[in-house]
Amino acid sequence: MTQVAERLLSEEEYLKLEDESIEKRHEYIDGVLRLMAGTTQEHNNVVQNFVFKLMLTAREKACRLAVENIRVKLPAGSKKRYYYPDVVVSCRPNDGDRRTIENPCFVVEILSKSTSAVDKGEKLDTYQRIASIKQYVIVDQARRKVEVYTRQGSKWIYEMLESGTFDIACLETTMTLEEVYAGLRFDESEKE
């Protein structure tokens, strides 16, 4: 991810630019634009696995499941930030607009070499400040490893999984790591 603007942009300028952009997406961090990284087949496969698993459940619960091209806006009063998570769920009616979710309950970011530090640092900190978020899940696309941050009251509980299942609280369902990584093959000698 690289910074692309030579000057700070207002929130209105950013939203206009994104609405006009067809090929590129940018995250917005307090006036700075960050160009989104391209994806890999592995990344795309993991996103599709989440959609395959969660789409019907989200519909049954009147929730909105979105991937990659729908941005999340931080709540009013926070720093001005917009992110494009890889997978996001909101169960609030009429949440945001056709390109933006403001009250997500479940967020997934899929790691790459260029996004790992931001996903595990800045985004982790930011997502944990959004009151509606019940879970933030970080998926490693290079090896079988999922990190799950779950809000329990005023605390966040961390789990690192290499097998098994994790709950998706706002959809009242679970997902196995086999479902997350369906169709992917890993070289077991590359495990850290």
Side-chain angles (χ1 to χ4, degrees):
M1 292 197 272
T2 57
Q3 182 176 330
V4 295
E6 294 180 14
R7 66 175 179 83
L8 296 179
L9 296 179
S10 71
E11 185 176 6
E12 293 75 23
E13 289 172 312
Y14 163 72
L15 293 171
K16 184 175 189 256
L17 175 76
E18 284 300 285
D19 285 344
E20 293 171 355
S21 179
I22 296 172
E23 296 178 14
K24 296 180 181 176
R25 294 175 298 137
H26 304 87
E27 293 184 329
Y28 179 82
I29 300 88
D30 301 320
V32 176
L33 295 186
R34 186 167 52 207
L35 181 63
M36 297 298 297
T39 62
T40 63
Q41 289 183 23
E42 293 82 6
H43 178 281
N44 192 46
N45 197 16
V46 171
V47 168
Q48 290 175 354
N49 290 340
F50 272 95
V51 171
F52 181 77
K53 172 67 178 183
L54 302 179
M55 181 57 79
L56 290 178
T57 303
R59 283 184 183 162
E60 289 169 0
K61 298 195 175 300
C63 296
R64 180 178 175 189
L65 171 68
V67 297
E68 297 178 333
N69 290 320
I70 302 298
R71 61 188 168 237
V72 168
K73 177 184 179 183
L74 262 67
S78 301
K79 293 181 178 183
K80 301 284 186 202
R81 292 190 181 185
Y82 290 83
Y83 293 135
Y84 283 97
D86 293 310
V87 179
V88 60
V89 174
S90 173
C91 292
R92 293 205 182 164
N94 305 314
D95 185 10
D97 59 37
R98 57 189 263 273
R99 295 196 64 194
T100 308
I101 289 176
E102 296 183 16
N103 297 287
C105 59
F106 178 74
V107 175
V108 177
E109 294 286 4
I110 300 166
L111 296 180
S112 69
K113 288 180 183 178
S114 66
T115 66
S116 181
V118 171
D119 292 341
K120 291 183 169 193
E122 173 192 316
K123 287 186 179 182
L124 171 62
D125 181 60
T126 301
Y127 287 143
Q128 287 180 329
R129 293 172 188 229
I130 299 174
S132 62
I133 292 183
K134 305 297 181 221
Q135 286 175 302
Y136 175 46
V137 176
I138 301 172
V139 178
D140 193 324
Q141 67 175 309
R143 67 186 187 117
R144 187 179 290 263
K145 180 182 173 187
V146 173
E147 297 175 78
V148 180
Y149 294 85
T150 303
R151 185 187 308 269
Q152 290 186 353
S154 62
K155 296 180 182 179
W156 283 90
I157 307 300
Y158 171 78
E159 293 179 273
M160 193 281 292
L161 305 168
E162 292 180 343
S163 64
T165 65
F166 58 95
D167 293 327
I168 301 173
C170 65
L171 293 177
E172 299 174 344
T173 191
T174 61
M175 191 161 183
T176 67
L177 264 65
E178 287 74 24
E179 291 168 322
V180 170
Y181 291 109
L184 274 72
R185 303 286 179 258
F186 300 103
D187 180 358
E188 293 301 315
S189 66
E190 294 179 4
K191 273 191 167 182
E192 293 177 13

